């Protein structure tokens, strides 16, 4: 299968990457700016997130209602969000509406109104969103473990805190937008039933005359070297357990071995955590690990939820399974994980949204698009030995542990 | 896109249906069973969902360990869910693995229900209930449905309670399985890149000897709901979770498309009346309305999650929006925008074989017919202002049922 991909760098530095998918009717697109919460000024964490919410409330010549009605009339599903590293704007529509949709996005990105009267409700909503995390201990425990594991500001909640949000004024938002959202270092991806030449022309028309400013360079710091522990007492039914320990970034030669190890642990129905903790002992309903690779660092994150009386046993087994990978991996485990990884890779091809997301992430993390064929080769290159070697060199240590529940747990 | 529909009924009554699309990269296959918590007696509460777990504990031919390894080799993401009225087992995989996926799925649809597995899996279910209880945003729906449906079996909880699951016996489950998993109560569906002839031959080989029968569903009457009002105090919860419910058209009603469009105009998460009047000004973290169809009846949910101090005013706002809807309907512009949004989401959703499988199987279970994407698009296209009025007259918003869950004490029913 030959992928049809077009790439270009515009005069102002904005990178364009587009892929033609013949079998879909839609076009999905994404804009990425390296202006996530790491770019927030000190004491004003959450500013980038506030900007991403405020940008949708009027742009170009249209006010809040007119702008959103225009998106709705085109049937564009869109979202704006701010993570730790990036601020992203994404949209998805029928392919024939792509040009009109991008015209609206150009307004939102380059000419947002950022109206003062909309700031208070946006801040209010952000505060409610932060508070609402308390009603989902599963989500909260993972936020806590990130906060403990990654050095600030990398591990901090990109939404900020109530006290930092209170300080934000409309001028802060406007100046953040002017300084941090620049075409230089921005990435724009499109995937779907699109004409690649036409996409290039549209990009030039809407973004070609955007003047390049000074790029903002963000540096990640390495992960925590000290084991951190945190417990939040709450009278919940279950103890919610979050774990984290260091792994490798996307471009690292060990990336596929790390991916393979995570699959051995929790990649399928026959994976070790599922088998040992849920199937054999019935200790959990939900238990998983995931590889969370960033551009310059990476971590393995894990979760389990168990009723209090059985939580310590679950944690002990969880950690011992993490360590046990270094002792050996079976050939049939490797075979299964390869089938699983290849299947999910190829299934992405049925979704324009998944493709546009991969394109943008590849450019950001690697500076190039990784063809599907290369990923298949990477998956095929995983062997028992590579996983074991990786596991030996990257034991679950230092291990960060966060728990929420009625009782505190110990690491033996 | 060149999709085609195929159907074959096995001699034992099992319908085998497929929608082929050679342009897809994958294929999705599943068994849909017309059974769920509404088909349980009080002593069996939770058995449909528990059985769904036990299916993955294996058949006489393979135990759970062998099964799990085989499923992973198919590369599928095998999964299942249980609702109030359907239980669905499905997998999506690359076309070359379909034959094996079908063999394994068919085999486990005749589960061994081993005692040891039953006792072990009971612990997992109890953990699942515990996890659910820690999520007030999920729990509130269980309370809400119980309040709305009252004695109607659609109010039965899917998970059951800790006590009901504790008390369940393996033989009760075996009995439930025999009663409900008969060919007339099931459909085998497949969507995506595959050959129907080859698929149906295999299906006949694997499922052709399953017992025939069409069990009845006890209670399928229409209901407008209890009209109850319940404020459940939960001090552990930070936000107040509100649900306002009202009766709507059933799955087989020609008015269901209008109901979808009206809910979208009133409560879609962007651009709707609830969005502009409640979320945009910052009164609530989220607010929306959705319509859910069931066999024999339907229900609208208007939901709000907000700070407890804002709950009363938000409830008043929801009432005002709904009362205005009942009196004045929606505008032509609102109808058109809702339609555009819904249709473009539908077309996007249809790109994955998994989404087509769900549509295919569920339409069959509810209506015993194939409804193609084009048919659905046409039906939504036909909804006009007259139909909207018909919907509001036939299923009026005049007896709302309200469930609140959270730290707020002084929430009163709006007058």
């Amino acid at each position: 299968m030959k992928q049809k991909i077009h790439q270009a760098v515009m005069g102002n530095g904005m990178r364009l990457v587009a892929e033609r998918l013949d079998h879909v009717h839609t076009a999905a697109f994404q804009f990425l700016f390296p202006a996530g919460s790491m770019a927030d000024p000190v004491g004003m964490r959450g500013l980038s997130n506030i900007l991403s919410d405020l940008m949708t409330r009027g742009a170009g010549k249209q006010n809040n209602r007119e702008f959103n009605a225009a998106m709705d009339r085109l049937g564009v599903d869109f979202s704006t969000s701010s993570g730790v590293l990036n601020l992203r704007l994404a949209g998805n529509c029928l392919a024939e509406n792509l040009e009109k949709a991008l015209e609206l996005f150009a307004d939102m990105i380059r000419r947002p109104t950022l109206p003062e009267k909309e700031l208070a409700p946006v801040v209010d909503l952000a505060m409610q969103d932060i508070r609402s995390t308390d009603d989902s201990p599963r989500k909260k425990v993972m936020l806590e473990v990130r906060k403990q594991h990654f050095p600030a500001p990398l591990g901090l909640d990109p939404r900020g805190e109530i006290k930092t949000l209170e300080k934000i004024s409309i001028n802060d938002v406007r100046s953040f937008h002017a300084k941090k959202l620049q075409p230089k270092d921005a990435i724009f991806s499109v995937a779907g039933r699109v004409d690649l030449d036409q996409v290039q022309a549209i990009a030039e028309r809407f973004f070609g005359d955007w003047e390049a400013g000074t790029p903002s360079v963000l540096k990640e710091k390495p992960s925590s070297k000290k084991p951190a522990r945190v417990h939040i007492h709450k009278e919940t039914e279950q103890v919610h357990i979050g774990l984290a320990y260091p792994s490798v970034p996307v471009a690292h030669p060990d990336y596929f071995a790390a991916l393979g190890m995570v699959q051995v642990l929790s990649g399928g129905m026959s994976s070790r955590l599922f088998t040992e903790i849920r199937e054999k002992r019935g200790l959990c309903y939900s238990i998983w690990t995931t590889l969370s690779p960033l551009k310059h660092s990476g971590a393995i994150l894990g979760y389990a939820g168990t009723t209090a009386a059985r939580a310590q046993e679950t944690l002990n087994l969880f950690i011992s399974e993490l360590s046990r990978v270094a002792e050996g991996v079976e050939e049939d485990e490797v075979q299964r994980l390869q089938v699983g990884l290849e299947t999910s890779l190829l299934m992405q091809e049925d979704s324009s949204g998944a493709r546009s997301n991969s394109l943008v992430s590849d450019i950001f993390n690697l500076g190039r698009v990784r063809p599907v064929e290369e990923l298949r080769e990477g998956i095929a290159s995983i062997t028992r030995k590579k996983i074991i070697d990786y596991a030996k060199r990257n034991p679950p240590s230092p291990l960060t542990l966060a728990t929420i529940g009625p009782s505190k747990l110990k690491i033996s | 896109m060149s999709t085609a529909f195929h159907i074959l009924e096995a001699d034992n009554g099992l319908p085998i249906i497929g929608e082929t699309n050679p342009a897809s990269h994958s294929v999705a296959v599943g068994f849909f069973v017309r059974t769920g918590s509404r088909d349980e007696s009080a002593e069996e509460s939770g058995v449909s969902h528990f059985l769904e777990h036990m299916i993955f504990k294996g058949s006489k031919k393979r135990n759970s360990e062998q099964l799990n390894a085989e499923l992973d080799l198919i590369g599928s993401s095998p999964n299942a869910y249980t609702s109030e009225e359907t239980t669905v087992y499905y997998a999506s995989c690359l076309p070359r693995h379909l034959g094996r996926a079908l063999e394994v799925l068919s085999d486990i649809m005749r589960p061994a229900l081993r005692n040891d597995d039953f006792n072990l899996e009971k612990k997992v279910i109890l953990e699942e209930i515990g996890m659910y209880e820690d999520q007030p945003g999920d729990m509130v729906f269980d309370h809400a449905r119980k309040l709305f449906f009252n004695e109607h079996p659609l109010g039965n909880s899917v998970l059951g309670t800790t006590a009901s699951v504790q008390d369940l016996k393996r033989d009760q489950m075996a009995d439930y399985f025999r009663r409900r998993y008969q060919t007339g109560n099931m459909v085998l569906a497949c969507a995506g890149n595959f050959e129907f002839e080859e698929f149906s031959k295999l299906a006949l080989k694997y499922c052709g000897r399953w017992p025939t029968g069409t069990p009845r569903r006890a209670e399928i009457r229409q209901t407008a709901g209890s009209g109850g009002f319940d404020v459940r105090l939960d001090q552990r919860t930070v936000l107040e979770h509100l649900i306002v419910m009202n009766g709507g058209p059933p799955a087989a009603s020609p008015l269901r498309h209008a109901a979808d469009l009206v809910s979208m105009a009133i409560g879609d998460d962007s651009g709707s009346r609830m969005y502009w009047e409640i979320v945009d000004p910052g009164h609530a973290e989220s607010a929306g309305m959705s319509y859910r169809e069931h066999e024999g009846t339907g229900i609208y949910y208007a939901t709000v999650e907000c700070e407890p101090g804002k709950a009363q005013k938000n409830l008043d706002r929801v009432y005002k929006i709904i009362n205005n809807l009942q009196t004045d309907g929606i505008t032509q512009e609102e109808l058109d925008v809702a339609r555009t949004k819904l249709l473009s989401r539908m077309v996007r959703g249809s790109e994955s074989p998994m989404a087509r499988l769900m549509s295919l199987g569920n339409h069959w279970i509810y209506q015993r017919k194939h409804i193609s994407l084009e048919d659905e698009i046409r039906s939504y296209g036909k909804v006009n202002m007259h139909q909207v009025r018909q919907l509001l007259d036939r299923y009026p918003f005049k007896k709302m049922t309200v469930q609140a869950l959270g730290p707020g004490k002084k929430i009163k029913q709006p007058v």
Side-chain angles (χ1 to χ4, degrees):
Chain A
M1 181 179 55
K2 181 89 185 89
Q3 287 175 279
K4 294 172 203 154
I5 293 178
H6 169 75
Q7 293 191 63
V9 181
M10 292 196 258
N12 55 19
M14 187 179 210
R15 293 189 67 158
L16 165 68
V17 53
E19 179 170 2
R20 161 90 185 178
L21 304 172
D22 287 317
H23 50 281
V24 302
H25 285 160
T26 54
F29 50 93
Q30 217 176 91
F31 292 86
L32 176 149
F33 296 91
S37 63
M38 286 201 27
D40 289 341
V42 177
M44 222 175 278
R45 224 153 35 72
L47 179 57
S48 166
N49 190 45
I50 293 294
L51 170 64
S52 77
D53 287 343
L54 202 57
M55 285 169 88
T56 67
R57 296 195 174 211
K61 291 185 180 125
Q62 305 187 90
N63 68 23
N64 186 7
R65 272 183 187 256
E66 290 161 347
F67 182 77
N68 281 278
M71 288 280 197
D72 281 350
R73 274 196 298 272
L74 288 173
V76 185
D77 260 353
F78 72 105
S79 65
T80 58
S81 62
S82 184
V84 176
L85 299 175
N86 300 311
L87 187 151
R88 290 181 191 231
L89 304 94
N92 199 327
C93 61
L94 297 182
E96 67 251 34
N97 292 335
L98 177 67
E99 184 168 357
K100 285 182 182 154
L102 286 173
E103 192 171 4
L104 292 172
F105 267 71
D107 276 345
M108 179 160 63
I109 289 165
R110 298 180 59 185
R111 294 170 288 276
T113 318
L114 306 177
E116 182 161 22
K117 72 176 168 59
E118 300 289 348
L119 179 65
V122 162
V123 169
D124 202 359
L125 285 172
M127 289 178 176
Q128 290 183 61
D129 185 38
I130 292 170
R131 289 193 191 107
S132 76
T133 312
D134 282 332
D135 283 350
S136 180
R138 273 189 291 176
K139 197 170 153 191
K140 189 174 170 81
V141 81
M142 294 318 293
L143 278 171
E144 277 304 320
V145 85
R146 281 175 176 277
K147 188 164 127 191
Q148 298 296 328
H149 183 73
F150 294 104
L154 197 56
L156 298 178
D157 185 346
R159 299 173 302 177
E161 289 169 45
I162 307 291
K163 64 174 192 288
T164 61
L165 293 180
E166 278 167 350
K167 289 187 202 149
I168 293 173
S169 75
I170 193 68
N171 288 335
D172 298 325
V173 183
R174 288 175 182 159
S175 101
F176 186 92
H177 171 261
K179 280 192 208 134
K180 305 287 181 180
L181 257 64
Q182 298 286 348
K184 179 101 175 77
D185 292 338
I187 306 166
F188 166 36
S189 76
V190 183
R193 199 182 188 85
V194 294
D195 178 317
L196 297 178
D197 294 334
Q198 204 191 339
V199 170
Q200 170 75 39
I202 296 173
E204 284 293 348
R205 181 141 51 85
F206 293 144
F207 298 98
D209 62 349
W210 189 6
E211 275 177 42
T214 344
S216 55
V217 180
L218 296 176
K219 277 261 161 60
E220 294 170 28
K221 292 179 210 160
S223 300
S224 149
K225 290 291 170 216
K226 277 189 301 188
R229 312 266 184 273
V230 62
H231 174 72
I232 297 171
H233 182 85
K234 195 172 181 192
E235 289 301 322
T236 45
E237 298 298 321
Q238 292 187 312
V239 178
H240 300 267
I241 302 169
L243 294 175
Y245 63 101
S247 183
V248 294
V250 187
H252 197 279
D254 279 343
Y255 171 74
F256 285 100
L259 198 61
M261 186 184 82
V262 168
Q263 286 290 115
V264 166
L265 285 168
S266 71
M269 304 271 288
S270 62
S271 61
R272 292 186 180 184
L273 292 171
F274 193 84
T275 305
E276 294 300 324
I277 298 178
R278 178 169 153 163
E279 293 285 272
K280 287 193 185 162
R281 296 178 178 86
L283 286 167
C284 285
Y285 171 74
S286 177
I287 180 161
W288 49 261
T289 50
T290 183
L291 181 61
S292 175
L294 297 168
K295 194 170 179 173
H296 301 292
S297 62
I300 288 169
L301 304 175
Y303 168 84
T306 328
T307 39
R310 317 159 80 202
Q312 187 63 55
E313 186 186 356
T314 299
L315 177 64
N316 296 347
L317 283 163
F318 200 158
I319 296 172
S320 94
E321 285 304 324
L322 298 180
S323 310
R324 198 166 65 88
V325 183
E327 292 165 23
V329 172
E330 301 297 323
E331 193 51 51
D332 56 348
E333 289 183 293
V334 176
Q335 202 190 339
R336 289 197 297 266
L337 74 87
Q338 283 172 331
V339 175
L341 287 173
E342 193 192 4
T343 302
S344 48
L345 174 69
L346 295 180
M347 279 190 185
Q348 264 200 15
E349 295 293 300
D350 279 333
S351 159
S352 54
R355 279 308 299 160
S356 76
N357 190 44
S358 289
L359 294 174
V360 107
S361 300
D362 274 0
I363 298 281
F364 178 74
N365 287 317
L366 305 162
R368 67 186 181 94
V369 175
R370 214 164 20 180
V372 170
E373 214 36 60
E374 183 184 324
L375 285 164
R376 285 176 87 161
E377 283 164 16
I379 292 165
S381 77
I382 300 172
T383 60
R384 288 175 51 216
K385 187 174 175 311
K386 283 183 186 166
I387 297 176
I388 296 167
D389 283 352
Y390 168 82
K392 279 184 181 157
R393 281 180 282 115
N394 299 274
S397 165
L399 187 74
T400 302
L401 170 71
T403 48
I404 296 177
S407 59
K408 212 170 164 174
L409 305 180
K410 287 196 293 269
I411 294 184
S412 44
Chain B
M1 215 168 348
S2 54
T3 64
F5 176 70
H6 312 265
I7 176 162
L8 179 84
E9 189 171 308
D11 289 342
N12 65 352
L14 179 73
I16 302 165
I17 60 176
E19 195 181 270
T20 48
N21 178 3
S24 292
H25 287 80
S26 63
V27 58
V29 57
F31 285 98
F32 292 70
V33 192
R34 184 173 168 262
T35 200
S37 55
R38 73 182 288 174
D39 302 299
E40 297 168 353
S41 66
E43 301 75 49
E44 291 171 334
S45 175
V47 73
S48 309
H49 169 255
F50 193 167
L51 172 59
E52 174 227 297
H53 278 235
M54 286 301 293
I55 292 276
F56 288 97
K57 288 294 185 180
S59 61
K60 285 186 183 130
K61 197 164 140 191
R62 31 169 79 89
N63 65 25
S64 69
E65 208 168 325
Q66 291 163 324
L67 169 65
N68 288 340
E70 280 182 81
L71 285 170
D72 283 350
L73 266 182
I74 295 160
S76 63
S77 34
N79 218 327
Y81 69 81
T82 307
S83 77
E84 296 81 9
E85 50 194 359
T86 50
T87 310
V88 183
Y89 304 87
Y90 58 93
S92 63
C93 60
L94 300 179
R96 66 174 185 270
H97 295 312
L98 178 63
R100 268 167 51 204
L102 178 61
E103 192 275 320
V104 175
L105 270 183
S106 309
D107 180 46
I108 62 176
M109 293 304 289
R110 303 287 112 189
L113 305 182
R114 284 175 274 264
N115 241 325
D116 290 352
D117 290 337
F118 182 86
N119 294 329
L120 191 59
E121 197 60 20
K122 191 181 266 189
K123 295 183 189 171
V124 175
I125 306 272
L126 294 173
E127 288 297 338
E128 189 176 357
I129 294 174
M131 180 184 83
Y132 192 74
E133 285 176 351
D134 282 346
Q135 301 274 129
D138 293 336
M139 274 312 284
V140 66
F141 273 92
D142 253 27
H143 297 303
R145 290 182 65 91
K146 185 79 221 158
L147 182 69
F148 179 86
F149 286 108
N150 195 14
E151 295 298 305
H152 193 294
L154 272 170
N156 294 353
S157 157
V158 173
L159 288 177
T161 61
T162 303
S164 77
V165 170
Q166 280 288 16
D167 289 348
L168 271 176
K169 304 279 184 301
R170 186 252 166 216
D171 289 349
Q172 286 173 290
M173 183 180 283
D175 180 59
Y176 175 88
F177 175 78
R178 267 191 302 274
R179 280 194 339 257
R180 304 298 307 171
Y181 282 58
Q182 300 176 358
T183 53
N185 216 29
M186 302 169 76
V187 58
L188 167 60
C190 191
N193 187 348
F194 73 108
E195 296 286 338
F196 186 75
E197 210 186 306
E198 200 187 321
F199 174 79
S200 55
K201 255 188 219 153
L202 284 177
L204 290 177
K205 183 173 147 198
Y206 302 138
C207 319
R209 282 193 292 274
W210 290 0
T212 303
T214 307
R216 286 184 46 227
R217 174 160 274 167
E219 168 95 85
I220 52 168
R221 75 188 147 94
Q222 170 80 36
T223 175
S226 68
F229 187 90
D230 180 46
V231 178
R232 187 170 280 260
L233 192 63
D234 184 347
Q235 299 287 14
R236 297 181 304 175
T237 303
V238 176
L239 295 187
E240 192 69 28
H241 301 260
L242 296 171
I243 302 189
V244 179
M245 290 157 284
N246 196 80
S253 165
L255 290 172
R256 73 181 168 90
H257 302 96
D260 268 335
L261 291 171
V262 165
S263 327
M264 184 154 267
I266 298 301
D268 189 34
D269 56 14
S270 72
S272 65
R273 290 190 191 176
M274 285 179 75
Y275 174 79
W276 288 115
E277 289 173 40
I278 300 175
V279 179
D280 179 82
H283 300 316
E285 213 256 311
S286 74
M289 184 190 258
S290 59
Y291 154 69
R292 238 189 105 191
E293 56 199 49
H294 290 295
E295 183 175 357
T297 194
I299 178 171
Y300 296 95
Y301 296 101
T303 58
V304 177
E305 283 180 28
C306 64
E307 282 166 3
K310 295 175 174 171
Q312 184 66 56
K313 280 201 169 149
N314 282 329
L315 186 58
D316 296 346
R317 288 183 185 106
V318 172
Y319 263 65
K320 198 173 148 212
I321 291 169
I322 290 178
N323 289 333
N324 282 343
L325 165 68
Q326 185 57 37
T327 328
D328 301 329
I330 58 173
T331 66
Q332 182 70 50
E333 163 85 6
E334 285 176 316
L335 178 64
D336 291 340
V337 168
R339 184 168 16 232
T340 305
K341 285 205 274 190
L342 193 139
L343 291 183
S344 49
R345 278 178 207 172
M346 237 166 75
V347 172
R348 276 202 297 279
S350 72
E351 283 174 0
S352 83
M354 183 53 84
R356 282 312 300 155
L357 174 76
M358 288 302 152
S359 165
L360 193 66
N362 280 315
H363 279 136
W364 194 271
I365 283 285
Y366 281 112
Q367 309 195 38
R368 294 241 144 219
K369 63 178 179 193
H370 172 244
I371 300 176
S372 69
L373 182 63
E374 289 70 28
D375 294 336
E376 278 292 84
I377 291 176
R378 221 170 292 126
S379 302
Y380 283 108
K382 279 188 196 152
V383 175
N384 55 27
M385 297 298 275
H386 174 67
Q387 267 202 348
V388 169
R389 193 64 257 171
Q390 240 186 334
L391 170 79
L392 293 169
D393 290 343
R394 176 99 171 68
Y395 303 96
F397 286 86
K398 62 173 189 195
K399 187 182 167 192
M400 266 89 84
T401 301
V402 180
Q403 179 72 58
L405 175 84
K409 288 177 198 163
K410 294 181 194 155
I411 302 169
K412 297 211 162 41
Q413 188 155 25
V415 279

